Amino acid sequence: GLCGYLAFGQWLQKYRPRVSPADTQCDALRSLVADFNLSQNDCGITNSNEFLDAQARAGADNAGVRENWMTDVELRILGCIFNVCVVVYKDYRSTGTMTYKSGPQVNTELNAVTYTMVNPAICNETEKRQSDKTVWLWNNVTTLRGIQHYELLIDVEFKTK
């Protein structure tokens, strides 16, 4: 249940060596999310239910319970705290709108690999191309029998045609 926090912490250890190793651990990152000030930030994060729910999950005693696992919302909060762009690749079909390189589109392809910029308010095209300014994660449900799982992608090169 800590895979997303572990992946984010691994990125911090690799690309933000000034961050204390203790602050990159799962429990420390969960505490940062749980204690994040929803009413005073520059990232467009508000007191809406999705963010309040994310804080409740992060602050829960039992991280291993599926209801308390990280979602993209917690990643958006961490991206705001550390001022980094967060991009999540997903290898499963979404019934909603996904953001492609060309912009938001309805995902109608079966088994499409798509990506979402979790915190577009603080991401730009230049930062997205820099490994030390963007956390690249892969969110997979196919290999774990339908359970979402985050993995860190390192040394990603973003290229256009």
Side-chain angles (χ1 to χ4, degrees), residues 91-159:
D91 68 351
Y92 52 92
R93 184 173 181 208
S94 171
T95 55
T97 300
M98 299 298 290
T99 301
Y100 291 84
K101 284 187 250 184
S102 59
Q105 298 175 10
V106 175
N107 181 9
T108 57
E109 302 172 50
L110 290 174
N111 300 317
V113 176
T114 59
Y115 75 88
T116 301
M117 269 199 243
V118 173
N119 53 347
I122 64 172
C123 296
N124 65 46
E125 288 299 314
T126 302
E127 289 175 341
K128 188 171 69 173
R129 289 173 170 76
Q130 298 172 326
S131 293
D132 63 337
K133 299 207 184 292
T134 302
V135 178
W136 296 87
L137 298 171
W138 175 47
N139 184 256
N140 180 340
V141 296
T142 58
T143 59
L144 294 173
R145 298 179 307 276
I147 299 170
Q148 292 192 31
H149 176 71
Y150 290 99
E151 288 286 341
L152 176 64
L153 303 174
I154 59 170
D155 299 326
V156 172
E157 276 189 48
F158 187 91
K159 293 183 178 181

Short mmCIF file of all heavy atoms in Angstrom, two decimals, residues 91-159:
data_model
loop_
_atom_site.label_atom_id
_atom_site.label_comp_id
_atom_site.label_asym_id
_atom_site.label_seq_id
_atom_site.Cartn_x
_atom_site.Cartn_y
_atom_site.Cartn_z
N ASP A 91 -1.27 2.03 -18.16
CA ASP A 91 -1.37 1.06 -19.25
C ASP A 91 -2.73 0.38 -19.27
O ASP A 91 -2.85 -0.78 -19.60
CB ASP A 91 -0.24 0.03 -19.17
CG ASP A 91 -0.37 -0.88 -17.97
OD1 ASP A 91 -1.23 -0.63 -17.11
OD2 ASP A 91 0.38 -1.87 -17.90
N TYR A 92 -3.75 1.12 -18.91
CA TYR A 92 -5.08 0.55 -18.93
C TYR A 92 -6.06 1.56 -19.48
O TYR A 92 -5.80 2.75 -19.51
CB TYR A 92 -5.51 0.09 -17.55
CG TYR A 92 -5.38 1.16 -16.48
CD1 TYR A 92 -6.43 2.01 -16.18
CD2 TYR A 92 -4.19 1.30 -15.77
CE1 TYR A 92 -6.30 2.98 -15.22
CE2 TYR A 92 -4.06 2.27 -14.80
CZ TYR A 92 -5.12 3.11 -14.53
OH TYR A 92 -4.99 4.06 -13.56
N ARG A 93 -7.19 1.07 -19.91
CA ARG A 93 -8.20 1.91 -20.53
C ARG A 93 -8.91 2.74 -19.46
O ARG A 93 -9.27 2.25 -18.41
CB ARG A 93 -9.21 1.04 -21.27
CG ARG A 93 -10.22 1.86 -22.01
CD ARG A 93 -11.09 0.99 -22.86
NE ARG A 93 -12.03 1.85 -23.55
CZ ARG A 93 -13.21 1.45 -23.94
NH1 ARG A 93 -13.59 0.22 -23.74
NH2 ARG A 93 -14.01 2.27 -24.56
N SER A 94 -9.10 3.98 -19.77
CA SER A 94 -9.85 4.86 -18.90
C SER A 94 -11.16 5.21 -19.58
O SER A 94 -11.22 5.37 -20.78
CB SER A 94 -9.05 6.14 -18.65
OG SER A 94 -9.85 7.08 -17.98
N THR A 95 -12.20 5.34 -18.78
CA THR A 95 -13.47 5.75 -19.37
C THR A 95 -13.59 7.26 -19.39
O THR A 95 -14.52 7.80 -19.94
CB THR A 95 -14.64 5.16 -18.56
OG1 THR A 95 -14.48 5.57 -17.19
CG2 THR A 95 -14.67 3.66 -18.66
N GLY A 96 -12.63 7.95 -18.77
CA GLY A 96 -12.67 9.41 -18.71
C GLY A 96 -11.78 10.05 -19.75
O GLY A 96 -11.35 9.43 -20.71
N THR A 97 -11.52 11.30 -19.53
CA THR A 97 -10.66 12.05 -20.43
C THR A 97 -9.22 11.97 -19.95
O THR A 97 -8.94 12.14 -18.78
CB THR A 97 -11.10 13.53 -20.46
OG1 THR A 97 -12.45 13.57 -20.91
CG2 THR A 97 -10.23 14.34 -21.39
N MET A 98 -8.33 11.69 -20.86
CA MET A 98 -6.91 11.60 -20.53
C MET A 98 -6.18 12.71 -21.28
O MET A 98 -6.63 13.18 -22.30
CB MET A 98 -6.33 10.24 -20.97
CG MET A 98 -6.98 9.05 -20.28
SD MET A 98 -6.75 9.05 -18.51
CE MET A 98 -5.02 8.70 -18.41
N THR A 99 -5.01 13.10 -20.76
CA THR A 99 -4.21 14.12 -21.42
C THR A 99 -3.13 13.46 -22.26
O THR A 99 -2.27 12.77 -21.73
CB THR A 99 -3.57 15.06 -20.39
OG1 THR A 99 -4.61 15.65 -19.63
CG2 THR A 99 -2.76 16.14 -21.08
N TYR A 100 -3.22 13.66 -23.55
CA TYR A 100 -2.21 13.18 -24.47
C TYR A 100 -1.27 14.34 -24.77
O TYR A 100 -1.53 15.48 -24.39
CB TYR A 100 -2.85 12.70 -25.77
CG TYR A 100 -3.67 11.45 -25.62
CD1 TYR A 100 -4.98 11.50 -25.19
CD2 TYR A 100 -3.12 10.21 -25.92
CE1 TYR A 100 -5.73 10.35 -25.06
CE2 TYR A 100 -3.87 9.05 -25.79
CZ TYR A 100 -5.17 9.14 -25.37
OH TYR A 100 -5.91 8.00 -25.23
N LYS A 101 -0.18 14.06 -25.49
CA LYS A 101 0.74 15.14 -25.88
C LYS A 101 0.00 16.26 -26.61
O LYS A 101 0.33 17.41 -26.47
CB LYS A 101 1.86 14.60 -26.76
CG LYS A 101 2.91 13.84 -26.01
CD LYS A 101 4.05 13.50 -26.92
CE LYS A 101 4.05 12.03 -27.18
NZ LYS A 101 5.17 11.58 -27.98
N SER A 102 -1.00 15.90 -27.36
CA SER A 102 -1.73 16.89 -28.15
C SER A 102 -2.84 17.57 -27.35
O SER A 102 -3.49 18.46 -27.86
CB SER A 102 -2.33 16.21 -29.38
OG SER A 102 -3.19 15.17 -28.98
N GLY A 103 -3.06 17.14 -26.11
CA GLY A 103 -4.09 17.76 -25.28
C GLY A 103 -5.11 16.75 -24.79
O GLY A 103 -5.00 15.55 -25.07
N PRO A 104 -6.12 17.20 -24.03
CA PRO A 104 -7.11 16.29 -23.47
C PRO A 104 -7.96 15.64 -24.56
O PRO A 104 -8.39 16.30 -25.50
CB PRO A 104 -7.98 17.18 -22.59
CG PRO A 104 -7.28 18.48 -22.49
CD PRO A 104 -6.32 18.58 -23.62
N GLN A 105 -8.16 14.35 -24.44
CA GLN A 105 -9.00 13.61 -25.37
C GLN A 105 -9.67 12.48 -24.61
O GLN A 105 -9.15 11.99 -23.62
CB GLN A 105 -8.17 13.00 -26.50
CG GLN A 105 -7.45 14.00 -27.35
CD GLN A 105 -6.55 13.32 -28.36
OE1 GLN A 105 -6.60 12.12 -28.55
NE2 GLN A 105 -5.71 14.10 -29.02
N VAL A 106 -10.80 12.05 -25.12
CA VAL A 106 -11.44 10.88 -24.54
C VAL A 106 -10.66 9.66 -24.98
O VAL A 106 -10.35 9.49 -26.16
CB VAL A 106 -12.91 10.77 -24.98
CG1 VAL A 106 -13.53 9.49 -24.48
CG2 VAL A 106 -13.69 11.98 -24.48
N ASN A 107 -10.30 8.80 -24.04
CA ASN A 107 -9.53 7.61 -24.35
C ASN A 107 -10.48 6.51 -24.79
O ASN A 107 -11.22 5.97 -23.98
CB ASN A 107 -8.74 7.18 -23.11
CG ASN A 107 -7.90 5.95 -23.38
OD1 ASN A 107 -7.78 5.51 -24.51
ND2 ASN A 107 -7.35 5.39 -22.33
N THR A 108 -10.46 6.17 -26.05
CA THR A 108 -11.35 5.14 -26.57
C THR A 108 -10.59 3.90 -27.00
O THR A 108 -11.19 2.93 -27.44
CB THR A 108 -12.16 5.67 -27.76
OG1 THR A 108 -11.24 6.12 -28.76
CG2 THR A 108 -13.06 6.82 -27.34
N GLU A 109 -9.27 3.91 -26.90
CA GLU A 109 -8.47 2.79 -27.36
C GLU A 109 -8.38 1.71 -26.27
O GLU A 109 -8.18 2.02 -25.11
CB GLU A 109 -7.06 3.24 -27.70
CG GLU A 109 -7.01 4.31 -28.76
CD GLU A 109 -5.60 4.85 -28.90
OE1 GLU A 109 -4.66 4.05 -29.03
OE2 GLU A 109 -5.46 6.08 -28.87
N LEU A 110 -8.54 0.48 -26.67
CA LEU A 110 -8.33 -0.62 -25.73
C LEU A 110 -6.83 -0.77 -25.49
O LEU A 110 -6.02 -0.66 -26.40
CB LEU A 110 -8.89 -1.92 -26.28
CG LEU A 110 -10.41 -2.00 -26.36
CD1 LEU A 110 -10.83 -3.27 -27.07
CD2 LEU A 110 -11.00 -1.96 -24.96
N ASN A 111 -6.45 -1.02 -24.25
CA ASN A 111 -5.06 -1.24 -23.87
C ASN A 111 -4.15 -0.08 -24.29
O ASN A 111 -3.00 -0.28 -24.64
CB ASN A 111 -4.54 -2.55 -24.46
CG ASN A 111 -5.35 -3.72 -23.96
OD1 ASN A 111 -5.67 -3.78 -22.78
ND2 ASN A 111 -5.70 -4.63 -24.84
N ALA A 112 -4.67 1.12 -24.28
CA ALA A 112 -3.87 2.28 -24.65
C ALA A 112 -2.92 2.63 -23.51
O ALA A 112 -3.24 2.47 -22.35
CB ALA A 112 -4.79 3.46 -24.93
N VAL A 113 -1.74 3.07 -23.87
CA VAL A 113 -0.82 3.61 -22.88
C VAL A 113 -0.97 5.12 -22.96
O VAL A 113 -0.73 5.72 -23.99
CB VAL A 113 0.64 3.19 -23.15
CG1 VAL A 113 1.57 3.86 -22.16
CG2 VAL A 113 0.76 1.68 -23.06
N THR A 114 -1.39 5.71 -21.86
CA THR A 114 -1.64 7.15 -21.82
C THR A 114 -0.88 7.74 -20.65
O THR A 114 -0.42 7.03 -19.77
CB THR A 114 -3.14 7.44 -21.65
OG1 THR A 114 -3.59 6.84 -20.44
CG2 THR A 114 -3.94 6.90 -22.82
N TYR A 115 -0.75 9.05 -20.65
CA TYR A 115 -0.15 9.67 -19.49
C TYR A 115 -0.97 10.86 -19.04
O TYR A 115 -1.71 11.46 -19.82
CB TYR A 115 1.30 10.09 -19.74
CG TYR A 115 1.51 11.31 -20.60
CD1 TYR A 115 1.54 12.57 -20.04
CD2 TYR A 115 1.71 11.19 -21.97
CE1 TYR A 115 1.74 13.70 -20.81
CE2 TYR A 115 1.92 12.31 -22.75
CZ TYR A 115 1.93 13.56 -22.17
OH TYR A 115 2.13 14.66 -22.94
N THR A 116 -0.86 11.16 -17.78
CA THR A 116 -1.56 12.28 -17.17
C THR A 116 -0.55 13.12 -16.43
O THR A 116 0.25 12.60 -15.65
CB THR A 116 -2.61 11.77 -16.16
OG1 THR A 116 -3.53 10.94 -16.84
CG2 THR A 116 -3.35 12.93 -15.52
N MET A 117 -0.57 14.43 -16.66
CA MET A 117 0.19 15.34 -15.82
C MET A 117 -0.69 15.58 -14.60
O MET A 117 -1.75 16.17 -14.70
CB MET A 117 0.46 16.66 -16.53
CG MET A 117 1.76 16.66 -17.27
SD MET A 117 2.25 18.34 -17.60
CE MET A 117 2.21 18.30 -19.36
N VAL A 118 -0.25 15.07 -13.47
CA VAL A 118 -1.05 15.13 -12.26
C VAL A 118 -1.23 16.56 -11.77
O VAL A 118 -2.27 16.91 -11.25
CB VAL A 118 -0.41 14.23 -11.16
CG1 VAL A 118 -1.12 14.39 -9.84
CG2 VAL A 118 -0.43 12.78 -11.61
N ASN A 119 -0.21 17.38 -11.92
CA ASN A 119 -0.26 18.76 -11.42
C ASN A 119 0.11 19.75 -12.53
O ASN A 119 1.14 20.41 -12.45
CB ASN A 119 0.65 18.92 -10.21
CG ASN A 119 2.06 18.44 -10.48
OD1 ASN A 119 2.33 17.77 -11.47
ND2 ASN A 119 2.98 18.79 -9.61
N PRO A 120 -0.74 19.89 -13.54
CA PRO A 120 -0.39 20.74 -14.68
C PRO A 120 -0.19 22.21 -14.33
O PRO A 120 0.48 22.93 -15.07
CB PRO A 120 -1.57 20.55 -15.64
CG PRO A 120 -2.69 20.07 -14.79
CD PRO A 120 -2.06 19.29 -13.68
N ALA A 121 -0.71 22.66 -13.20
CA ALA A 121 -0.56 24.06 -12.83
C ALA A 121 0.90 24.44 -12.60
O ALA A 121 1.28 25.59 -12.79
CB ALA A 121 -1.38 24.38 -11.58
N ILE A 122 1.74 23.47 -12.21
CA ILE A 122 3.14 23.81 -11.97
C ILE A 122 4.08 23.13 -12.96
O ILE A 122 5.29 23.19 -12.80
CB ILE A 122 3.58 23.48 -10.52
CG1 ILE A 122 3.50 21.99 -10.23
CG2 ILE A 122 2.77 24.28 -9.53
CD1 ILE A 122 4.11 21.62 -8.88
N CYS A 123 3.52 22.51 -13.99
CA CYS A 123 4.35 21.85 -15.01
C CYS A 123 4.39 22.72 -16.27
O CYS A 123 3.42 23.36 -16.62
CB CYS A 123 3.75 20.50 -15.40
SG CYS A 123 3.72 19.31 -14.08
N ASN A 124 5.50 22.67 -16.94
CA ASN A 124 5.57 23.29 -18.26
C ASN A 124 6.34 22.35 -19.17
O ASN A 124 6.93 21.38 -18.73
CB ASN A 124 6.17 24.70 -18.20
CG ASN A 124 7.62 24.70 -17.75
OD1 ASN A 124 8.44 23.92 -18.22
ND2 ASN A 124 7.94 25.61 -16.84
N GLU A 125 6.32 22.65 -20.44
CA GLU A 125 6.94 21.76 -21.42
C GLU A 125 8.44 21.59 -21.20
O GLU A 125 8.99 20.51 -21.41
CB GLU A 125 6.67 22.26 -22.85
CG GLU A 125 5.24 22.07 -23.29
CD GLU A 125 4.81 20.61 -23.30
OE1 GLU A 125 5.55 19.75 -23.79
OE2 GLU A 125 3.71 20.32 -22.79
N THR A 126 9.13 22.63 -20.76
CA THR A 126 10.57 22.54 -20.51
C THR A 126 10.85 21.62 -19.33
O THR A 126 11.70 20.73 -19.41
CB THR A 126 11.16 23.93 -20.25
OG1 THR A 126 10.87 24.76 -21.38
CG2 THR A 126 12.65 23.87 -20.04
N GLU A 127 10.13 21.83 -18.23
CA GLU A 127 10.35 21.00 -17.04
C GLU A 127 10.00 19.55 -17.30
O GLU A 127 10.65 18.65 -16.78
CB GLU A 127 9.53 21.54 -15.87
CG GLU A 127 10.06 22.85 -15.35
CD GLU A 127 9.19 23.45 -14.27
OE1 GLU A 127 8.01 23.08 -14.16
OE2 GLU A 127 9.70 24.31 -13.54
N LYS A 128 8.97 19.32 -18.09
CA LYS A 128 8.55 17.94 -18.38
C LYS A 128 9.67 17.15 -19.05
O LYS A 128 9.74 15.94 -18.90
CB LYS A 128 7.30 17.98 -19.26
CG LYS A 128 6.66 16.62 -19.46
CD LYS A 128 5.32 16.73 -20.14
CE LYS A 128 5.45 17.18 -21.57
NZ LYS A 128 4.19 17.14 -22.30
N ARG A 129 10.57 17.82 -19.72
CA ARG A 129 11.66 17.15 -20.43
C ARG A 129 12.90 16.96 -19.55
O ARG A 129 13.89 16.42 -20.00
CB ARG A 129 12.03 17.95 -21.66
CG ARG A 129 10.97 17.87 -22.75
CD ARG A 129 11.30 18.82 -23.89
NE ARG A 129 10.45 18.62 -25.05
CZ ARG A 129 9.20 19.00 -25.16
NH1 ARG A 129 8.62 19.61 -24.16
NH2 ARG A 129 8.51 18.76 -26.25
N GLN A 130 12.87 17.43 -18.31
CA GLN A 130 14.04 17.34 -17.44
C GLN A 130 13.80 16.33 -16.31
O GLN A 130 12.89 16.50 -15.50
CB GLN A 130 14.35 18.72 -16.84
CG GLN A 130 14.69 19.75 -17.89
CD GLN A 130 14.81 21.15 -17.32
OE1 GLN A 130 14.09 21.50 -16.40
NE2 GLN A 130 15.73 21.92 -17.86
N SER A 131 14.65 15.31 -16.24
CA SER A 131 14.49 14.27 -15.24
C SER A 131 14.56 14.78 -13.82
O SER A 131 13.95 14.22 -12.92
CB SER A 131 15.55 13.17 -15.43
OG SER A 131 15.34 12.49 -16.63
N ASP A 132 15.31 15.87 -13.60
CA ASP A 132 15.44 16.38 -12.23
C ASP A 132 14.31 17.33 -11.85
O ASP A 132 14.28 17.84 -10.73
CB ASP A 132 16.79 17.07 -12.05
CG ASP A 132 16.97 18.29 -12.94
OD1 ASP A 132 16.30 18.38 -13.98
OD2 ASP A 132 17.78 19.15 -12.57
N LYS A 133 13.37 17.57 -12.75
CA LYS A 133 12.23 18.44 -12.45
C LYS A 133 10.89 17.72 -12.59
O LYS A 133 9.85 18.30 -12.31
CB LYS A 133 12.25 19.67 -13.35
CG LYS A 133 13.49 20.52 -13.18
CD LYS A 133 13.20 21.94 -13.53
CE LYS A 133 14.43 22.81 -13.46
NZ LYS A 133 14.97 23.02 -12.17
N THR A 134 10.92 16.48 -13.04
CA THR A 134 9.69 15.72 -13.27
C THR A 134 9.80 14.31 -12.70
O THR A 134 10.76 13.60 -12.99
CB THR A 134 9.36 15.65 -14.77
OG1 THR A 134 9.24 16.96 -15.28
CG2 THR A 134 8.06 14.91 -15.02
N VAL A 135 8.82 13.94 -11.90
CA VAL A 135 8.71 12.56 -11.40
C VAL A 135 7.90 11.79 -12.44
O VAL A 135 6.75 12.14 -12.71
CB VAL A 135 7.99 12.52 -10.04
CG1 VAL A 135 7.85 11.09 -9.56
CG2 VAL A 135 8.71 13.37 -9.01
N TRP A 136 8.51 10.77 -13.02
CA TRP A 136 7.83 9.92 -13.99
C TRP A 136 7.46 8.60 -13.30
O TRP A 136 8.34 7.89 -12.81
CB TRP A 136 8.74 9.61 -15.18
CG TRP A 136 9.11 10.82 -15.97
CD1 TRP A 136 10.15 11.68 -15.74
CD2 TRP A 136 8.44 11.31 -17.13
NE1 TRP A 136 10.17 12.67 -16.69
CE2 TRP A 136 9.12 12.47 -17.55
CE3 TRP A 136 7.33 10.89 -17.85
CZ2 TRP A 136 8.74 13.21 -18.65
CZ3 TRP A 136 6.95 11.62 -18.96
CH2 TRP A 136 7.65 12.76 -19.35
N LEU A 137 6.18 8.31 -13.27
CA LEU A 137 5.71 7.08 -12.64
C LEU A 137 4.91 6.26 -13.64
O LEU A 137 4.32 6.79 -14.58
CB LEU A 137 4.82 7.40 -11.43
CG LEU A 137 5.47 8.17 -10.30
CD1 LEU A 137 4.42 8.61 -9.29
CD2 LEU A 137 6.53 7.33 -9.62
N TRP A 138 4.90 4.97 -13.41
CA TRP A 138 4.08 4.06 -14.19
C TRP A 138 3.05 3.47 -13.25
O TRP A 138 3.40 2.99 -12.17
CB TRP A 138 4.97 2.97 -14.78
CG TRP A 138 4.26 1.88 -15.53
CD1 TRP A 138 3.28 2.03 -16.46
CD2 TRP A 138 4.51 0.49 -15.41
NE1 TRP A 138 2.91 0.80 -16.94
CE2 TRP A 138 3.65 -0.16 -16.31
CE3 TRP A 138 5.37 -0.27 -14.65
CZ2 TRP A 138 3.62 -1.54 -16.45
CZ3 TRP A 138 5.35 -1.65 -14.80
CH2 TRP A 138 4.49 -2.26 -15.70
N ASN A 139 1.79 3.55 -13.62
CA ASN A 139 0.71 3.00 -12.81
C ASN A 139 0.11 1.84 -13.58
O ASN A 139 -0.44 2.00 -14.66
CB ASN A 139 -0.34 4.08 -12.54
CG ASN A 139 -1.44 3.59 -11.63
OD1 ASN A 139 -2.53 3.30 -12.08
ND2 ASN A 139 -1.13 3.49 -10.36
N ASN A 140 0.24 0.65 -13.03
CA ASN A 140 -0.09 -0.57 -13.74
C ASN A 140 -1.16 -1.34 -13.00
O ASN A 140 -1.07 -1.56 -11.81
CB ASN A 140 1.19 -1.41 -13.83
CG ASN A 140 0.99 -2.71 -14.54
OD1 ASN A 140 -0.11 -3.19 -14.68
ND2 ASN A 140 2.07 -3.29 -14.99
N VAL A 141 -2.17 -1.76 -13.71
CA VAL A 141 -3.17 -2.64 -13.10
C VAL A 141 -3.19 -4.01 -13.75
O VAL A 141 -3.84 -4.91 -13.26
CB VAL A 141 -4.60 -2.04 -13.16
CG1 VAL A 141 -4.69 -0.77 -12.36
CG2 VAL A 141 -5.06 -1.83 -14.57
N THR A 142 -2.46 -4.19 -14.83
CA THR A 142 -2.57 -5.45 -15.56
C THR A 142 -1.76 -6.57 -14.92
O THR A 142 -2.16 -7.72 -14.96
CB THR A 142 -2.12 -5.28 -17.02
OG1 THR A 142 -0.78 -4.80 -17.04
CG2 THR A 142 -3.03 -4.32 -17.75
N THR A 143 -0.61 -6.27 -14.32
CA THR A 143 0.22 -7.35 -13.80
C THR A 143 -0.14 -7.75 -12.37
O THR A 143 0.31 -8.76 -11.88
CB THR A 143 1.71 -6.96 -13.83
OG1 THR A 143 1.89 -5.79 -13.04
CG2 THR A 143 2.19 -6.73 -15.23
N LEU A 144 -0.94 -6.95 -11.70
CA LEU A 144 -1.29 -7.25 -10.31
C LEU A 144 -2.76 -7.58 -10.16
O LEU A 144 -3.39 -7.26 -9.17
CB LEU A 144 -0.92 -6.07 -9.41
CG LEU A 144 0.57 -5.80 -9.29
CD1 LEU A 144 0.80 -4.51 -8.50
CD2 LEU A 144 1.28 -6.95 -8.61
N ARG A 145 -3.32 -8.23 -11.16
CA ARG A 145 -4.71 -8.69 -11.13
C ARG A 145 -5.69 -7.57 -10.76
O ARG A 145 -6.54 -7.72 -9.90
CB ARG A 145 -4.85 -9.86 -10.16
CG ARG A 145 -4.03 -11.06 -10.55
CD ARG A 145 -4.17 -12.19 -9.57
NE ARG A 145 -3.90 -11.84 -8.18
CZ ARG A 145 -2.68 -11.79 -7.62
NH1 ARG A 145 -1.64 -12.07 -8.33
NH2 ARG A 145 -2.53 -11.48 -6.36
N GLY A 146 -5.54 -6.41 -11.42
CA GLY A 146 -6.50 -5.34 -11.25
C GLY A 146 -6.20 -4.38 -10.11
O GLY A 146 -6.96 -3.46 -9.87
N ILE A 147 -5.10 -4.56 -9.41
CA ILE A 147 -4.74 -3.67 -8.32
C ILE A 147 -3.77 -2.63 -8.85
O ILE A 147 -2.78 -2.96 -9.49
CB ILE A 147 -4.08 -4.46 -7.16
CG1 ILE A 147 -5.06 -5.50 -6.61
CG2 ILE A 147 -3.62 -3.51 -6.06
CD1 ILE A 147 -4.43 -6.47 -5.64
N GLN A 148 -4.06 -1.35 -8.59
CA GLN A 148 -3.17 -0.30 -9.08
C GLN A 148 -1.85 -0.31 -8.31
O GLN A 148 -1.83 -0.52 -7.10
CB GLN A 148 -3.83 1.06 -8.91
CG GLN A 148 -5.01 1.23 -9.83
CD GLN A 148 -5.48 2.66 -9.86
OE1 GLN A 148 -4.69 3.57 -9.71
NE2 GLN A 148 -6.75 2.86 -10.09
N HIS A 149 -0.76 -0.10 -9.04
CA HIS A 149 0.57 -0.12 -8.45
C HIS A 149 1.45 0.91 -9.14
O HIS A 149 1.48 0.97 -10.37
CB HIS A 149 1.18 -1.53 -8.62
CG HIS A 149 2.59 -1.63 -8.13
ND1 HIS A 149 2.90 -1.60 -6.80
CD2 HIS A 149 3.75 -1.74 -8.80
CE1 HIS A 149 4.22 -1.70 -6.67
NE2 HIS A 149 4.75 -1.78 -7.87
N TYR A 150 2.14 1.75 -8.36
CA TYR A 150 3.04 2.76 -8.92
C TYR A 150 4.48 2.26 -8.91
O TYR A 150 4.93 1.68 -7.93
CB TYR A 150 3.00 4.05 -8.09
CG TYR A 150 1.72 4.82 -8.19
CD1 TYR A 150 0.74 4.72 -7.22
CD2 TYR A 150 1.49 5.68 -9.26
CE1 TYR A 150 -0.43 5.45 -7.30
CE2 TYR A 150 0.32 6.41 -9.35
CZ TYR A 150 -0.64 6.29 -8.36
OH TYR A 150 -1.79 7.02 -8.44
N GLU A 151 5.18 2.53 -10.00
CA GLU A 151 6.62 2.26 -10.10
C GLU A 151 7.30 3.52 -10.60
O GLU A 151 6.77 4.22 -11.46
CB GLU A 151 6.91 1.13 -11.09
CG GLU A 151 6.54 -0.24 -10.62
CD GLU A 151 7.48 -0.80 -9.57
OE1 GLU A 151 8.62 -0.32 -9.43
OE2 GLU A 151 7.06 -1.73 -8.88
N LEU A 152 8.50 3.78 -10.10
CA LEU A 152 9.28 4.94 -10.54
C LEU A 152 9.99 4.61 -11.86
O LEU A 152 10.57 3.54 -12.01
CB LEU A 152 10.32 5.31 -9.48
CG LEU A 152 11.28 6.45 -9.84
CD1 LEU A 152 10.52 7.76 -10.00
CD2 LEU A 152 12.36 6.57 -8.77
N LEU A 153 9.92 5.53 -12.80
CA LEU A 153 10.69 5.44 -14.03
C LEU A 153 11.83 6.44 -13.90
O LEU A 153 11.60 7.61 -13.60
CB LEU A 153 9.82 5.79 -15.24
CG LEU A 153 8.56 4.95 -15.42
CD1 LEU A 153 7.71 5.51 -16.56
CD2 LEU A 153 8.91 3.50 -15.68
N ILE A 154 13.06 6.00 -14.10
CA ILE A 154 14.20 6.91 -13.92
C ILE A 154 14.88 7.18 -15.26
O ILE A 154 14.79 6.40 -16.20
CB ILE A 154 15.22 6.38 -12.89
CG1 ILE A 154 15.76 5.02 -13.31
CG2 ILE A 154 14.61 6.32 -11.51
CD1 ILE A 154 16.93 4.55 -12.48
N ASP A 155 15.56 8.31 -15.30
CA ASP A 155 16.32 8.74 -16.48
C ASP A 155 15.45 8.72 -17.75
O ASP A 155 15.90 8.30 -18.82
CB ASP A 155 17.58 7.88 -16.67
CG ASP A 155 18.51 8.00 -15.48
OD1 ASP A 155 18.58 9.09 -14.89
OD2 ASP A 155 19.16 7.01 -15.13
N VAL A 156 14.24 9.20 -17.62
CA VAL A 156 13.31 9.25 -18.75
C VAL A 156 13.71 10.39 -19.67
O VAL A 156 14.05 11.48 -19.22
CB VAL A 156 11.87 9.47 -18.25
CG1 VAL A 156 10.92 9.71 -19.42
CG2 VAL A 156 11.42 8.28 -17.43
N GLU A 157 13.72 10.12 -20.95
CA GLU A 157 13.94 11.16 -21.95
C GLU A 157 12.64 11.40 -22.66
O GLU A 157 12.06 10.48 -23.23
CB GLU A 157 15.00 10.73 -22.97
CG GLU A 157 16.40 10.98 -22.53
CD GLU A 157 17.38 10.72 -23.67
OE1 GLU A 157 17.13 11.22 -24.79
OE2 GLU A 157 18.35 10.02 -23.44
N PHE A 158 12.16 12.61 -22.62
CA PHE A 158 10.93 12.97 -23.30
C PHE A 158 11.31 13.50 -24.68
O PHE A 158 12.00 14.48 -24.80
CB PHE A 158 10.17 14.03 -22.52
CG PHE A 158 8.81 14.33 -23.08
CD1 PHE A 158 7.71 13.64 -22.65
CD2 PHE A 158 8.65 15.29 -24.06
CE1 PHE A 158 6.46 13.91 -23.16
CE2 PHE A 158 7.42 15.57 -24.59
CZ PHE A 158 6.31 14.88 -24.14
N LYS A 159 10.86 12.80 -25.70
CA LYS A 159 11.19 13.21 -27.06
C LYS A 159 9.91 13.39 -27.87
O LYS A 159 8.94 12.67 -27.67
CB LYS A 159 12.06 12.15 -27.75
CG LYS A 159 13.43 12.01 -27.15
CD LYS A 159 14.24 11.02 -27.93
CE LYS A 159 15.64 10.90 -27.34
NZ LYS A 159 16.47 9.98 -28.09
#
